[in-house]
Amino acid sequence: MQNSFNSFYIKKSNVINIKSEILFREAEDDFFYFNKINSASKKLNAALKLTPNHLKSIILFADILFIKNNVKKALKFYLSALDINDDSPRIYGAAANCYLRLKKYKLALCFIESAISKFNFSIHNIDLYSQLIELKIDALIHLNNLKQAYYTYIKEKNLLNDFNSDIINRKLKILEKINNANLKIV
């Protein structure tokens, strides 16, 4: 007995309009190969009108918004992408990057920690992990948690060969001088 006529078994949130996929692929080409950012945005907007939960379109549209410096709107789309797939360290990292730009460092650090906890070296790209660690160090520096930033840098030093540790070292020396000066606020 076939159940093909019973719509009970079809989860409507998983159904993707084929036109959305076509628009996404055209937008991807426009964005990556032809540098037509506005054209890509329009196509992604149309794709999301047809299929509001098309994850690839949401992420690429958020990336474009971030590049256009529309960080709040990009964050909104990254968070909606996390509602669809909360297992992606890349989406958590992108949201964390938005929070860093918005100077919400504690939220950024929470999202970075979530991204790192979901990272799987056998599946994900090591470059993504390196970027997550750099974001973590940046958030820790802005939160004035310089020792933790330095320890994170030392722990992940081999992955971060091109990261500039001079900033962390300078700030740690300043913090050490302040602690050794025994100054008291009156």
Side-chain angles (χ1 to χ4, degrees):
M1 186 167 155
Q2 280 188 336
N3 290 325
S4 61
F5 294 107
N6 190 347
S7 64
F8 178 74
Y9 294 104
I10 299 172
K11 190 173 179 184
K12 301 227 188 258
S13 64
N14 291 339
V15 176
I16 296 173
N17 187 326
I18 191 68
K19 182 71 175 162
S20 291
E21 185 67 26
I22 292 168
L23 286 166
F24 165 75
R25 290 176 187 224
E26 288 175 1
E28 199 175 38
D29 288 345
D30 284 351
F31 180 64
F32 289 113
Y33 299 113
F34 304 118
N35 201 25
K36 295 180 180 178
I37 296 172
N38 292 331
S39 173
S41 291
K42 288 176 187 173
K43 289 176 182 174
L44 290 168
N45 209 8
L48 290 172
K49 283 181 183 172
L50 293 170
T51 311
N53 63 342
H54 190 238
L55 185 62
K56 296 186 291 186
S57 294
I58 292 170
I59 295 169
L60 185 57
F61 191 56
D63 290 344
I64 290 171
L65 289 169
F66 186 82
I67 289 169
K68 288 180 157 186
N69 206 25
N70 195 343
V71 180
K72 288 182 181 178
K73 196 170 181 182
L75 178 61
K76 182 183 126 199
F77 278 94
Y78 287 130
L79 294 177
S80 69
L82 282 173
D83 288 340
I84 297 168
N85 178 10
D86 66 348
D87 265 353
S88 172
R90 187 221 181 271
I91 301 172
Y92 275 101
N97 203 10
C98 288
Y99 281 123
L100 277 172
R101 278 287 236 358
L102 296 171
K103 299 181 181 188
K104 296 182 180 182
Y105 304 115
K106 287 184 181 179
L107 279 170
L109 195 56
C110 289
F111 273 79
I112 293 165
E113 292 296 339
S114 295
I116 290 171
S117 71
K118 294 182 182 308
F119 195 86
N120 183 343
F121 284 98
S122 62
I123 298 172
H124 301 106
N125 189 341
I126 193 71
D127 291 336
L128 174 61
Y129 186 77
S130 175
Q131 291 169 356
L132 291 171
I133 296 302
E134 287 185 31
L135 288 175
K136 181 177 180 179
I137 291 170
D138 192 33
L140 289 167
I141 288 172
H142 281 94
L143 288 169
N144 230 5
N145 193 343
L146 302 176
K147 285 187 180 183
Q148 185 64 36
Y150 186 73
Y151 293 141
T152 302
Y153 168 73
I154 295 299
K155 181 181 170 195
E156 306 292 346
K157 193 175 186 177
N158 294 335
L159 294 173
L160 306 172
N161 291 332
D162 59 343
F163 185 70
N164 188 355
S165 64
D166 294 338
I167 297 168
I168 298 172
N169 286 328
R170 269 189 272 129
K171 288 188 177 189
L172 279 174
K173 286 179 185 176
I174 292 169
L175 184 65
E176 189 176 335
K177 285 179 184 179
I178 291 170
N179 288 338
N180 290 336
N182 291 324
L183 296 175
K184 296 185 182 186
I185 300 173
V186 180

